Each structure stands twice: as C-alpha cells, then as structure tokens.
Amino acid sequence: MQSESVPALKVAFVAGVAPGKWFHRWEERFPEHPLASEMVDDAEQLAVLHDGRADIAFVRLPVDKDREGLHVIPLYEELPVVVAPKGHEIQAFDEVPLAEVQGELFEYDGGPSERLDLVEGGAGLAIMPMSVVRHFNRKELRYRPVTGLEPYGVGIAWRRDNEAEAIQEFIGVVRGRGANSSRQASVQRDQQEAAKKRREDISTSQSKEMKARNEASRAGKAARGGKAGGRSGGRGRTAGGKGRPGAGRRRGR
C-alpha cells in the first residue's frame, strides 16, 4: 500500500467487541496507513457499511449476508446473560434457565445503553451478551448466565463490491495471518508482480536467443552460398574449354 495520501481504513464495531488488539497489530504492521474506528449500536451495524461510514465492521450474528450483499466471517461466540436490578432473586443462582425469567423480559429495539437504563428503571429484565453488560459496567445492575439459549455470535463483515487491498489486509490481521502469509493481499500482489517479471524476463531471453539463432542461420546460408558460387564458376570454365569446336580431335587429311 502506498504511503502518500492514504485514506484511513474505517472500522466500526458494536458494543462489547474489543478490537484494540487488532488495531494495535494493524498499526505495527502498517504504520503508514491510518485507521479510524467508531462504536455503533447493533441497529446501525449494517447501515454504516452500506452508507460508507465504515469499510469494515465487527457485527453481531446472524446476518443475512446474501440479502445484504456482504462478506461475513464468523469470529467467536459470546455467553448470553440475563440482567436485572441489584437485589433481584437471580443473584441467588450461578445460572438461570430461560424459562424462569421469560415472563419478566421486555421488548426493546434500541441501543444497549438505553436497554440497561430501562432495566435499571424497573421495566423488566433483559438478555444480552455478557461482554456488553461488562462494557457498560452498571453498578446498580446484576447479571447471570442464561441456559437454554444459543450463544451470541460475533463476526466481521464488509461489502462484496468493496475488495480493497486494505480491507483484505485487515481481515488477515484479524484472522492472525503473519505479515508474510501467502494469503495476505500484499504478499499475493508481490508474488503476482514477481511472477509477471519472471515471465517478461523469460520472454525477453527467448526473444534474444531466437534473434541470435536467426542471425547465425542467415550468416551460415550466406557463407554456403558464397562457396557454392565459387565452385560452380570453376566448373563452367572447364566445361567451356572442353566444349570448344574441334578441341582434342585430329584433323583428317
């Protein structure tokens, strides 16, 4: 990637995802390529990709990648927990079956911070990824793991029509590929350029060899033609001498 006037790679992530380790690796490997990050609500996780606010995003799964026109790579899973105000009876348990709290859950489509506000205000209980609850760290709330639910998935997503090299490099960083991995976009580019250079060198070498062979062939033909011309001239004089009228004959008396 070129260092002159490089636009920042824009990365979005939802609450609970801790992308700092990947950002640090990126800065170590590509110090000349700036990175801009932004935390977004779950409801905005795909919108930021479609409207260009982000080139790549850490998202909560599932995502309908075909309908959204996205590439999506699952990364890891998170434990679901039930969140309640301090003093709620869930505190007496190490984990809580979903059936035991289902009647106290409330529906809300907003962001996680506002959902926790509602729990704290007594609206009911909420089920959320443990990492999100820990991220906001509300002292007036308590949480316990919930059984009977599938874990939350976290993945990384980007638009199918955006295959920029920087995105491919960032995917490689997240997936733990080394700087010299053959699957890294920059390494593949360098390998392709090296292969192209080898082909050009071979073609040039073959062209020179062909030219040298052609010149040698023409020189050989010219040399053979000169020798042939000298031999045919001598025979012509000899034949002409033998062919004179009366040569080698005695006259009759």
Side-chain angles (χ1 to χ4, degrees), residues 94-148:
D94 292 330
E95 57 184 28
V96 180
L98 175 61
E100 294 293 327
V101 296
Q102 202 155 22
E104 297 183 66
L105 301 176
F106 65 91
E107 295 291 332
Y108 181 69
D109 295 330
S113 181
E114 291 80 7
R115 180 175 294 188
L116 293 174
D117 287 341
L118 291 172
V119 174
E120 193 170 342
L125 309 185
I127 293 178
M128 305 172 69
M130 179 184 287
S131 64
V132 175
V133 181
R134 286 178 171 175
H135 172 80
F136 288 101
N137 191 28
R138 300 292 183 88
K139 295 181 178 180
E140 297 302 314
L141 298 178
R142 297 293 183 267
Y143 63 89
R144 292 293 185 271
V146 179
T147 60

Side-chain angles (χ1 to χ4, degrees), residues 1-13:
M1 290 176 287
Q2 300 298 319
S3 60
E4 296 180 3
S5 302
V6 177
L9 178 66
K10 297 172 290 185
V11 183
F13 58 96

Side-chain angles (χ1 to χ4, degrees), residues 41-217:
D41 287 339
D42 291 13
E44 287 278 278
Q45 65 177 8
L46 303 184
V48 294
L49 291 172
H50 292 306
D51 64 20
R53 281 180 286 162
D55 301 306
I56 195 164
F58 291 94
V59 298
R60 296 209 178 276
L61 305 177
V63 169
D64 190 340
K65 60 182 181 180
D66 293 328
R67 185 173 67 84
E68 297 289 344
L70 300 173
H71 292 298
V72 179
I73 299 175
L75 296 177
Y76 59 89
E77 294 182 334
E78 295 183 308
L79 189 67
V81 298
V82 59
V83 188
K86 185 170 67 173
H88 193 279
E89 60 184 10
I90 68 165
Q91 292 180 228
F93 303 93
D94 292 330
E95 57 184 28
V96 180
L98 175 61
E100 294 293 327
V101 296
Q102 202 155 22
E104 297 183 66
L105 301 176
F106 65 91
E107 295 291 332
Y108 181 69
D109 295 330
S113 181
E114 291 80 7
R115 180 175 294 188
L116 293 174
D117 287 341
L118 291 172
V119 174
E120 193 170 342
L125 309 185
I127 293 178
M128 305 172 69
M130 179 184 287
S131 64
V132 175
V133 181
R134 286 178 171 175
H135 172 80
F136 288 101
N137 191 28
R138 300 292 183 88
K139 295 181 178 180
E140 297 302 314
L141 298 178
R142 297 293 183 267
Y143 63 89
R144 292 293 185 271
V146 179
T147 60
L149 278 178
E150 292 295 320
Y152 291 99
V154 172
I156 193 164
W158 70 101
R159 295 200 320 269
R160 289 181 182 175
D161 61 357
N162 187 358
E163 298 290 354
E165 182 178 311
I167 291 178
Q168 301 305 316
E169 293 287 2
F170 190 81
I171 294 297
V173 168
V174 172
R175 303 196 77 175
R177 296 176 193 154
N180 297 319
S181 170
S182 61
R183 299 188 67 183
Q184 285 295 92
S186 58
V187 174
Q188 291 178 352
R189 184 198 62 220
D190 292 343
Q191 289 175 341
Q192 290 169 357
E193 290 178 353
K196 181 181 178 181
K197 181 67 166 55
R198 286 195 298 271
R199 290 194 297 270
E200 290 175 348
D201 290 344
I202 291 171
S203 177
T204 300
S205 176
Q206 291 175 340
S207 178
K208 289 180 179 178
E209 290 176 2
M210 181 66 72
K211 182 178 180 181
R213 285 197 296 269
N214 289 340
E215 290 176 350
S217 176

